[in-house]
Amino acid sequence: MHETNETTVDQNAIAVRAYELFLSRGGEHGHADEDWSRAEQELRSTISRMMEQTPAPVAAAPAPAPAPAKAPAKPKKTTAAKASRKTKTTK
């Protein structure tokens, strides 16, 4: 990586873009420094524009407090238990 002002630009990306500029000129030699500088500037500009368009991260809202624990439910009486009680009380 190559530090340029406040933006980090990948050397490989610069090389690829500089080569594209070289080819667009018809492969004419003698402009390597110009191609490199232009490629670096283009990429730095592109990265800066992208960073300006990216919204700033929003702080997450705190998690809600957990609900208070409920007391365990009383077990329901089964119909068999009710039936046996009825027979005992009716005897």
Side-chain angles (χ1 to χ4, degrees):
M1 299 270 195
H2 180 72
E3 289 290 326
T4 55
N5 293 341
E6 297 164 9
T7 306
T8 302
V9 181
D10 180 24
Q11 296 286 310
N12 290 330
I14 296 170
V16 168
R17 180 60 187 136
Y19 184 68
E20 291 171 350
L21 294 170
F22 166 75
L23 292 177
S24 71
R25 183 183 298 103
E28 181 183 327
H29 292 278
H31 302 280
D33 290 338
E34 293 169 36
D35 292 341
W36 188 271
S37 294
R38 180 174 168 194
E40 187 174 24
Q41 179 58 42
E42 287 177 6
L43 292 170
R44 190 178 333 130
S45 177
T46 299
I47 291 170
S48 293
R49 278 194 310 273
M50 288 172 56
M51 291 179 76
E52 289 171 1
Q53 294 173 356
T54 304
V58 177
K70 293 183 179 180
K74 293 181 182 178
K76 293 186 178 183
K77 295 180 181 176
T78 63
T79 54
K82 288 179 187 179
S84 70
R85 268 199 336 244
K86 284 183 182 179
T87 56
K88 288 180 185 176
T89 56
T90 56
K91 288 184 181 181

XYZ file of all heavy atoms in Angstrom:
687
model
N 0.843 -1.174 0.000
C 0.000 0.000 0.000
C 0.888 1.237 0.000
O 1.990 1.210 0.508
C -0.892 0.021 1.231
C -1.830 -1.131 1.337
S -3.323 -0.685 0.509
C -4.409 -1.916 1.109
N 0.355 2.296 -0.521
C 1.090 3.542 -0.641
C 0.269 4.651 -0.012
O -0.861 4.881 -0.409
C 1.343 3.822 -2.133
C 2.088 5.076 -2.400
N 3.407 5.215 -2.124
C 1.684 6.245 -2.934
C 3.799 6.431 -2.494
N 2.758 7.072 -2.968
N 0.809 5.307 1.002
C 0.087 6.381 1.674
C 0.118 7.640 0.815
O 1.172 8.064 0.366
C 0.726 6.701 3.032
C 0.517 5.629 4.070
C -0.916 5.542 4.531
O -1.600 6.571 4.600
O -1.346 4.420 4.806
N -1.036 8.212 0.575
C -1.131 9.460 -0.179
C -2.127 10.359 0.512
O -3.306 10.045 0.576
C -1.592 9.213 -1.621
O -2.815 8.499 -1.584
C -0.583 8.429 -2.413
N -1.643 11.432 1.030
C -2.473 12.361 1.803
C -3.324 11.551 2.772
O -2.875 10.876 3.577
C -3.274 13.274 0.904
C -2.358 14.212 0.149
O -1.210 14.419 0.548
N -2.827 14.779 -0.936
N -4.589 11.542 2.759
C -5.358 10.813 3.749
C -5.908 9.512 3.201
O -6.683 8.851 3.852
C -6.494 11.705 4.250
C -5.961 12.931 4.933
C -7.010 13.997 5.086
O -8.190 13.731 4.816
O -6.647 15.106 5.472
N -5.533 9.137 2.001
C -6.133 7.976 1.368
C -5.062 6.944 1.049
O -4.016 7.270 0.522
C -6.843 8.404 0.067
O -7.751 9.443 0.386
C -7.596 7.250 -0.540
N -5.334 5.707 1.377
C -4.427 4.614 1.059
C -4.834 4.044 -0.292
O -5.996 3.731 -0.511
C -4.526 3.515 2.132
O -4.217 4.083 3.387
C -3.582 2.393 1.842
N -3.851 3.933 -1.189
C -4.131 3.427 -2.529
C -3.268 2.189 -2.752
O -2.070 2.197 -2.509
C -3.828 4.505 -3.597
C -4.138 3.986 -4.982
C -4.606 5.770 -3.318
N -3.877 1.134 -3.236
C -3.201 -0.133 -3.494
C -2.262 0.008 -4.698
O -2.678 0.460 -5.765
C -4.264 -1.199 -3.745
C -3.697 -2.570 -4.028
O -2.563 -2.852 -3.615
O -4.412 -3.372 -4.645
N -1.019 -0.396 -4.518
C -0.008 -0.309 -5.582
C -0.420 -1.106 -6.822
O -0.189 -0.669 -7.943
C 1.347 -0.818 -5.066
C 1.940 0.022 -3.956
C 2.478 1.334 -4.477
O 3.222 1.367 -5.441
N 2.096 2.421 -3.832
N -1.027 -2.271 -6.609
C -1.448 -3.093 -7.749
C -2.545 -2.397 -8.550
O -2.551 -2.463 -9.785
C -1.925 -4.462 -7.285
C -0.797 -5.317 -6.765
O 0.346 -5.197 -7.210
N -1.096 -6.163 -5.809
N -3.465 -1.741 -7.862
C -4.540 -1.031 -8.556
C -3.960 0.124 -9.376
O -4.404 0.382 -10.500
C -5.562 -0.513 -7.550
N -2.960 0.802 -8.819
C -2.316 1.902 -9.551
C -1.622 1.348 -10.794
O -1.732 1.911 -11.887
C -1.297 2.645 -8.669
C -2.011 3.314 -7.492
C -0.533 3.685 -9.479
C -1.063 3.855 -6.435
N -0.910 0.240 -10.627
C -0.189 -0.356 -11.757
C -1.142 -0.766 -12.872
O -0.863 -0.534 -14.059
C 0.628 -1.556 -11.277
N -2.268 -1.357 -12.505
C -3.246 -1.779 -13.512
C -3.782 -0.561 -14.258
O -3.868 -0.553 -15.488
C -4.391 -2.586 -12.862
C -5.555 -2.777 -13.819
C -3.888 -3.930 -12.366
N -4.147 0.488 -13.505
C -4.692 1.688 -14.147
C -3.634 2.377 -14.998
O -3.935 2.858 -16.114
C -5.243 2.658 -13.091
C -5.832 3.914 -13.675
C -7.003 3.606 -14.614
N -7.448 4.821 -15.280
C -7.745 4.913 -16.570
N -7.712 3.837 -17.345
N -8.108 6.056 -17.092
N -2.391 2.428 -14.541
C -1.309 3.039 -15.324
C -1.101 2.266 -16.628
O -0.881 2.860 -17.692
C -0.022 3.070 -14.509
N -1.215 0.943 -16.563
C -1.078 0.127 -17.766
C -2.220 0.398 -18.734
O -2.021 0.463 -19.954
C -1.009 -1.356 -17.390
C -0.761 -2.262 -18.576
C 0.466 -2.246 -19.243
C -1.748 -3.124 -19.028
C 0.692 -3.068 -20.338
C -1.532 -3.949 -20.120
C -0.306 -3.916 -20.768
O -0.080 -4.724 -21.853
N -3.432 0.568 -18.202
C -4.575 0.909 -19.056
C -4.326 2.242 -19.771
O -4.645 2.385 -20.964
C -5.856 1.000 -18.228
C -6.340 -0.323 -17.694
C -7.475 -0.190 -16.693
O -7.779 0.938 -16.247
O -8.056 -1.237 -16.344
N -3.771 3.207 -19.047
C -3.456 4.505 -19.664
C -2.401 4.338 -20.751
O -2.480 4.953 -21.818
C -2.998 5.501 -18.595
C -4.065 5.898 -17.571
C -3.434 6.687 -16.431
C -5.177 6.702 -18.237
N -1.385 3.518 -20.490
C -0.332 3.223 -21.462
C -0.945 2.623 -22.736
O -0.632 3.041 -23.851
C 0.673 2.254 -20.825
C 1.625 1.589 -21.771
C 2.692 2.283 -22.327
C 1.471 0.247 -22.096
C 3.584 1.651 -23.193
C 2.355 -0.383 -22.955
C 3.420 0.325 -23.505
N -1.855 1.664 -22.557
C -2.501 1.029 -23.712
C -3.397 2.014 -24.463
O -3.459 1.981 -25.699
C -3.314 -0.186 -23.280
C -2.516 -1.379 -22.754
C -3.460 -2.489 -22.297
C -1.545 -1.897 -23.811
N -4.076 2.888 -23.718
C -4.972 3.850 -24.372
C -4.191 4.839 -25.236
O -4.744 5.428 -26.161
C -5.807 4.604 -23.326
O -5.007 5.508 -22.593
N -2.924 5.007 -24.942
C -2.056 5.876 -25.722
C -1.453 5.100 -26.902
O -0.635 5.625 -27.650
C -0.950 6.435 -24.811
C -0.016 7.414 -25.468
C 1.131 7.920 -24.595
N 0.645 8.639 -23.419
C 0.607 8.141 -22.200
N 1.025 6.914 -21.969
N 0.155 8.846 -21.199
N -1.847 3.850 -27.053
C -1.326 3.038 -28.147
C -0.016 2.361 -27.797
O 0.728 1.947 -28.676
N 0.298 2.250 -26.508
C 1.523 1.577 -26.082
C 2.762 2.427 -26.271
O 3.877 1.900 -26.314
N 2.583 3.722 -26.380
C 3.717 4.632 -26.571
C 4.525 4.732 -25.283
O 4.007 5.058 -24.225
C 3.181 6.015 -26.958
C 4.255 7.044 -27.211
C 3.650 8.410 -27.506
O 2.560 8.483 -28.108
O 4.279 9.393 -27.118
N 5.819 4.421 -25.381
C 6.720 4.448 -24.223
C 7.148 5.882 -23.900
O 6.981 6.787 -24.695
C 7.953 3.578 -24.491
C 7.620 2.122 -24.576
N 7.462 1.334 -23.463
C 7.395 1.313 -25.653
C 7.155 0.112 -23.839
N 7.111 0.071 -25.172
N 7.663 6.050 -22.658
C 8.207 7.344 -22.262
C 7.280 8.164 -21.391
O 7.575 9.306 -21.073
N 6.157 7.589 -20.977
C 5.192 8.336 -20.165
C 4.837 7.586 -18.877
O 3.782 7.832 -18.294
C 3.905 8.590 -20.967
C 4.134 9.336 -22.232
N 4.299 10.695 -22.276
C 4.246 8.888 -23.507
C 4.485 11.061 -23.530
N 4.464 9.980 -24.299
N 5.720 6.720 -18.429
C 5.424 5.867 -17.271
C 5.132 6.696 -16.017
O 4.174 6.406 -15.284
C 6.577 4.903 -17.007
N 5.950 7.721 -15.760
C 5.733 8.543 -14.565
C 4.403 9.293 -14.635
O 3.677 9.392 -13.643
C 6.882 9.534 -14.358
C 8.180 8.846 -13.954
O 8.125 7.711 -13.437
O 9.257 9.457 -14.161
N 4.093 9.810 -15.815
C 2.819 10.517 -15.997
C 1.644 9.562 -15.794
O 0.660 9.914 -15.139
C 2.730 11.114 -17.407
C 3.708 12.230 -17.686
C 3.744 12.572 -19.167
O 2.669 12.512 -19.823
O 4.825 12.872 -19.669
N 1.755 8.369 -16.389
C 0.685 7.384 -16.271
C 0.489 6.982 -14.808
O -0.641 6.874 -14.325
C 0.979 6.143 -17.114
C 0.933 6.420 -18.614
O 0.336 7.448 -19.011
O 1.476 5.598 -19.372
N 1.591 6.765 -14.099
C 1.521 6.367 -12.693
C 0.865 7.470 -11.854
O -0.040 7.196 -11.062
C 2.920 6.044 -12.163
C 2.871 5.458 -10.779
C 2.895 6.135 -9.608
C 2.753 4.078 -10.442
N 2.811 5.267 -8.546
C 2.733 3.996 -9.038
C 2.685 2.910 -11.198
C 2.625 2.765 -8.374
C 2.596 1.704 -10.518
C 2.556 1.652 -9.127
N 1.303 8.696 -12.037
C 0.750 9.820 -11.272
C -0.743 9.995 -11.558
O -1.542 10.220 -10.638
C 1.486 11.115 -11.598
O 2.818 11.041 -11.158
N -1.095 9.911 -12.836
C -2.510 10.076 -13.198
C -3.350 8.945 -12.613
O -4.433 9.183 -12.073
C -2.659 10.126 -14.718
C -4.098 10.298 -15.156
C -4.213 10.486 -16.641
N -5.603 10.357 -17.053
C -5.990 10.204 -18.297
N -5.106 10.195 -19.283
N -7.271 10.084 -18.589
N -2.849 7.717 -12.694
C -3.566 6.563 -12.156
C -3.750 6.713 -10.647
O -4.846 6.476 -10.118
C -2.816 5.272 -12.474
N -2.701 7.122 -9.966
C -2.779 7.302 -8.515
C -3.798 8.381 -8.153
O -4.613 8.209 -7.248
C -1.398 7.668 -7.975
C -1.313 7.707 -6.475
C 0.102 7.940 -6.002
O 0.926 8.495 -6.750
O 0.376 7.574 -4.856
N -3.784 9.489 -8.876
C -4.723 10.576 -8.614
C -6.164 10.136 -8.869
O -7.057 10.429 -8.086
C -4.376 11.795 -9.482
C -5.317 12.969 -9.296
C -5.387 13.459 -7.867
O -4.375 13.551 -7.183
N -6.575 13.765 -7.400
N -6.391 9.421 -9.974
C -7.735 8.948 -10.292
C -8.273 8.029 -9.194
O -9.413 8.174 -8.753
C -7.747 8.197 -11.624
C -7.603 9.078 -12.838
C -7.550 8.273 -14.131
O -7.737 7.034 -14.099
O -7.305 8.892 -15.191
N -7.437 7.091 -8.756
C -7.869 6.144 -7.737
C -8.106 6.832 -6.396
O -9.077 6.541 -5.700
C -6.857 5.010 -7.596
C -6.780 4.087 -8.817
C -5.601 3.142 -8.705
C -8.068 3.314 -8.981
N -7.232 7.747 -6.029
C -7.400 8.491 -4.786
C -8.711 9.283 -4.818
O -9.465 9.306 -3.849
C -6.221 9.434 -4.552
C -6.244 10.033 -3.179
C -5.075 10.942 -2.857
N -3.862 10.676 -3.577
C -3.160 11.606 -4.224
N -3.570 12.858 -4.237
N -2.038 11.306 -4.835
N -8.988 9.896 -5.954
C -10.212 10.667 -6.117
C -11.439 9.765 -6.018
O -12.439 10.110 -5.371
C -10.184 11.387 -7.464
O -11.373 12.082 -7.680
N -11.372 8.610 -6.646
C -12.480 7.657 -6.606
C -12.742 7.197 -5.171
O -13.894 7.154 -4.726
C -12.184 6.439 -7.498
O -12.022 6.891 -8.836
C -13.295 5.409 -7.431
N -11.686 6.879 -4.441
C -11.834 6.427 -3.061
C -12.418 7.540 -2.202
O -13.315 7.304 -1.387
C -10.481 5.946 -2.494
C -10.061 4.642 -3.188
C -10.561 5.753 -0.986
C -8.646 4.210 -2.880
N -11.961 8.760 -2.397
C -12.482 9.890 -1.621
C -13.972 10.087 -1.864
O -14.742 10.308 -0.925
C -11.732 11.173 -1.966
O -10.401 11.086 -1.541
N -14.395 9.997 -3.129
C -15.818 10.145 -3.454
C -16.634 9.038 -2.794
O -17.719 9.283 -2.267
C -16.043 10.127 -4.957
C -15.791 11.450 -5.632
C -16.346 11.467 -7.049
N -15.954 10.319 -7.849
C -14.833 10.232 -8.571
N -13.991 11.233 -8.603
N -14.557 9.143 -9.260
N -16.120 7.832 -2.827
C -16.830 6.706 -2.228
C -16.969 6.894 -0.720
O -18.012 6.600 -0.145
C -16.103 5.394 -2.531
C -16.234 4.959 -3.978
S -15.192 3.549 -4.415
C -15.681 2.331 -3.245
N -15.934 7.396 -0.083
C -15.974 7.596 1.365
C -16.948 8.708 1.732
O -17.597 8.648 2.774
C -14.580 7.876 1.898
C -13.680 6.652 1.806
S -12.032 6.937 2.397
C -12.325 6.906 4.160
N -17.070 9.709 0.894
C -18.008 10.797 1.158
C -19.447 10.306 1.040
O -20.329 10.791 1.735
C -17.789 11.951 0.184
C -16.516 12.723 0.435
C -16.200 13.733 -0.663
O -16.992 13.842 -1.626
O -15.158 14.387 -0.563
N -19.686 9.353 0.160
C -21.038 8.837 -0.069
C -21.449 7.805 0.969
O -22.619 7.535 1.138
C -21.139 8.216 -1.463
C -20.988 9.223 -2.562
C -20.913 8.574 -3.937
O -20.899 7.361 -4.060
N -20.861 9.381 -4.971
N -20.484 7.222 1.653
C -20.775 6.196 2.642
C -21.270 6.866 3.917
O -20.579 7.707 4.470
C -19.510 5.362 2.949
O -19.018 4.815 1.732
C -19.815 4.257 3.937
N -22.468 6.507 4.375
C -22.971 7.131 5.599
C -22.138 6.716 6.804
O -21.596 5.613 6.851
C -24.399 6.598 5.719
C -24.457 5.407 4.856
C -23.379 5.551 3.814
N -22.039 7.620 7.745
C -21.301 7.334 8.969
C -22.050 6.264 9.756
O -23.273 6.224 9.735
C -21.169 8.597 9.804
N -21.323 5.398 10.437
C -22.009 4.372 11.215
C -22.838 5.006 12.329
O -22.441 5.989 12.933
C -20.880 3.519 11.790
C -19.627 4.265 11.555
C -19.891 5.319 10.529
N -23.993 4.434 12.559
C -24.896 4.926 13.590
C -24.688 4.078 14.832
O -24.621 2.854 14.748
C -26.361 4.826 13.115
C -27.325 5.263 14.203
C -26.554 5.640 11.854
N -24.587 4.744 15.974
C -24.409 4.008 17.221
C -25.651 3.177 17.486
O -26.779 3.635 17.307
C -24.174 4.974 18.372
N -25.442 1.973 17.899
C -26.555 1.073 18.181
C -27.267 1.517 19.449
O -26.640 1.986 20.395
C -26.049 -0.354 18.344
N -28.568 1.387 19.442
C -29.352 1.719 20.626
C -29.082 0.671 21.693
O -28.836 -0.492 21.378
C -30.832 1.738 20.263
N -29.110 1.082 22.953
C -28.868 0.086 23.999
C -29.961 -0.973 23.978
O -31.112 -0.697 23.639
C -28.910 0.898 25.298
C -29.557 2.190 24.948
C -29.371 2.393 23.466
N -29.612 -2.163 24.347
C -30.575 -3.271 24.369
C -31.603 -3.019 25.459
O -31.263 -2.487 26.509
C -29.845 -4.583 24.616
N -32.862 -3.387 25.215
C -33.873 -3.189 26.249
C -33.590 -4.077 27.450
O -32.991 -5.143 27.333
C -35.181 -3.587 25.564
C -34.771 -4.445 24.424
C -33.390 -3.997 24.030
N -34.021 -3.624 28.614
C -33.831 -4.402 29.837
C -34.656 -5.671 29.743
O -35.762 -5.662 29.191
C -34.256 -3.581 31.044
N -34.160 -6.763 30.282
C -34.937 -8.005 30.219
C -36.198 -7.889 31.063
O -36.235 -7.184 32.069
C -33.983 -9.060 30.782
C -32.956 -8.303 31.547
C -32.885 -6.929 30.941
N -37.241 -8.571 30.645
C -38.509 -8.563 31.374
C -38.321 -9.299 32.692
O -37.535 -10.247 32.774
C -39.587 -9.233 30.542
N -39.030 -8.866 33.734
C -38.895 -9.572 35.020
C -39.370 -11.012 34.872
O -40.303 -11.301 34.127
C -39.778 -8.775 35.972
C -40.624 -7.893 35.125
C -39.962 -7.776 33.795
N -38.746 -11.880 35.625
C -39.093 -13.303 35.546
C -40.465 -13.528 36.161
O -40.817 -12.926 37.175
C -38.041 -14.132 36.258
N -41.254 -14.393 35.546
C -42.579 -14.724 36.055
C -42.465 -15.936 36.972
O -41.605 -16.789 36.782
C -43.529 -15.050 34.906
C -43.828 -13.868 34.022
C -44.820 -14.259 32.955
C -45.145 -13.076 32.066
N -46.097 -13.427 31.013
N -43.351 -15.978 37.933
C -43.388 -17.146 38.819
C -43.841 -18.341 38.006
O -44.653 -18.200 37.089
C -44.345 -16.886 39.976
N -43.335 -19.513 38.326
C -43.759 -20.692 37.565
C -45.254 -20.927 37.745
O -45.814 -20.683 38.808
C -42.939 -21.841 38.151
C -42.283 -21.318 39.376
C -42.389 -19.829 39.364
N -45.886 -21.367 36.709
C -47.333 -21.616 36.739
C -47.628 -22.824 37.606
O -46.847 -23.776 37.660
C -47.845 -21.825 35.324
N -48.754 -22.783 38.304
C -49.162 -23.924 39.119
C -49.607 -25.036 38.183
O -50.266 -24.778 37.181
C -50.317 -23.529 40.031
C -49.928 -22.529 41.089
C -51.117 -22.215 41.971
C -50.756 -21.178 43.007
N -51.898 -20.820 43.839
N -49.260 -26.245 38.521
C -49.691 -27.345 37.646
C -51.202 -27.478 37.698
O -51.822 -27.328 38.748
C -48.987 -28.575 38.223
C -48.566 -28.193 39.594
C -48.470 -26.701 39.641
N -51.788 -27.751 36.568
C -53.235 -27.909 36.492
C -53.599 -29.318 36.926
O -52.871 -30.262 36.656
C -53.718 -27.649 35.062
C -53.538 -26.217 34.649
C -54.151 -25.982 33.301
C -53.996 -24.519 32.925
N -54.631 -24.203 31.671
N -54.721 -29.398 37.587
C -55.186 -30.714 38.032
C -55.779 -31.449 36.840
O -56.501 -30.866 36.043
C -56.216 -30.567 39.133
C -55.634 -29.963 40.388
C -56.670 -29.824 41.460
C -56.048 -29.190 42.687
N -57.015 -28.937 43.728
N -55.472 -32.696 36.759
C -55.989 -33.484 35.653
C -57.403 -33.942 35.958
O -57.836 -33.961 37.121
C -55.098 -34.716 35.396
O -55.154 -35.528 36.564
C -53.677 -34.320 35.098
N -58.106 -34.335 34.966
C -59.485 -34.795 35.158
C -59.513 -36.079 35.962
O -60.448 -36.338 36.713
C -60.180 -34.992 33.809
O -59.397 -35.851 33.001
C -60.422 -33.682 33.124
N -58.475 -36.887 35.892
C -58.432 -38.131 36.675
C -58.360 -37.795 38.154
O -59.013 -38.423 38.988
C -57.256 -38.989 36.253
N -57.571 -36.787 38.499
C -57.449 -36.391 39.899
C -58.771 -35.838 40.385
O -59.200 -36.100 41.518
C -56.340 -35.379 40.065
N -59.460 -35.089 39.564
C -60.759 -34.519 39.943
C -61.771 -35.636 40.134
O -62.560 -35.647 41.075
C -61.240 -33.545 38.884
C -60.495 -32.253 38.831
C -61.055 -31.388 37.727
C -60.246 -30.148 37.521
N -60.751 -29.303 36.428
N -61.740 -36.611 39.261
C -62.696 -37.709 39.319
C -62.479 -38.524 40.592
O -63.425 -38.916 41.262
C -62.566 -38.583 38.092
N -61.208 -38.771 40.964
C -60.946 -39.572 42.161
C -61.380 -38.801 43.404
O -61.823 -39.386 44.376
C -59.493 -39.981 42.240
O -58.676 -38.870 42.525
N -61.253 -37.488 43.402
C -61.695 -36.687 44.537
C -63.208 -36.751 44.672
O -63.742 -36.839 45.761
C -61.254 -35.230 44.386
C -59.932 -34.974 45.040
C -59.716 -33.480 45.308
N -60.475 -32.591 44.448
C -59.948 -31.737 43.588
N -58.652 -31.633 43.470
N -60.704 -30.954 42.863
N -63.910 -36.714 43.540
C -65.356 -36.760 43.573
C -65.841 -38.078 44.152
O -66.781 -38.126 44.929
C -65.949 -36.555 42.181
C -65.916 -35.124 41.728
C -66.603 -35.007 40.376
C -66.540 -33.582 39.896
N -67.172 -33.406 38.586
N -65.169 -39.141 43.751
C -65.614 -40.453 44.234
C -65.339 -40.597 45.725
O -66.091 -41.219 46.438
C -64.956 -41.587 43.473
O -63.555 -41.452 43.544
C -65.421 -41.624 42.035
N -64.256 -40.016 46.219
C -63.939 -40.109 47.652
C -64.927 -39.292 48.466
O -65.321 -39.687 49.535
C -62.521 -39.620 47.920
C -61.458 -40.539 47.455
C -60.085 -39.983 47.765
C -59.015 -40.855 47.198
N -57.688 -40.308 47.387
N -65.296 -38.123 47.976
C -66.189 -37.253 48.732
C -67.630 -37.741 48.657
O -68.420 -37.467 49.549
C -66.121 -35.807 48.236
O -66.412 -35.797 46.872
C -64.769 -35.212 48.508
N -67.984 -38.451 47.610
C -69.363 -38.905 47.476
C -69.597 -40.206 48.196
O -70.718 -40.598 48.399
C -69.736 -39.068 45.991
O -68.820 -39.937 45.386
C -69.782 -37.731 45.306
N -68.611 -40.896 48.619
C -68.773 -42.183 49.307
C -69.177 -41.996 50.724
O -69.134 -41.196 51.487
C -67.491 -42.993 49.250
C -67.231 -43.530 47.882
C -66.001 -44.391 47.930
C -65.684 -44.931 46.590
N -64.560 -45.759 46.582
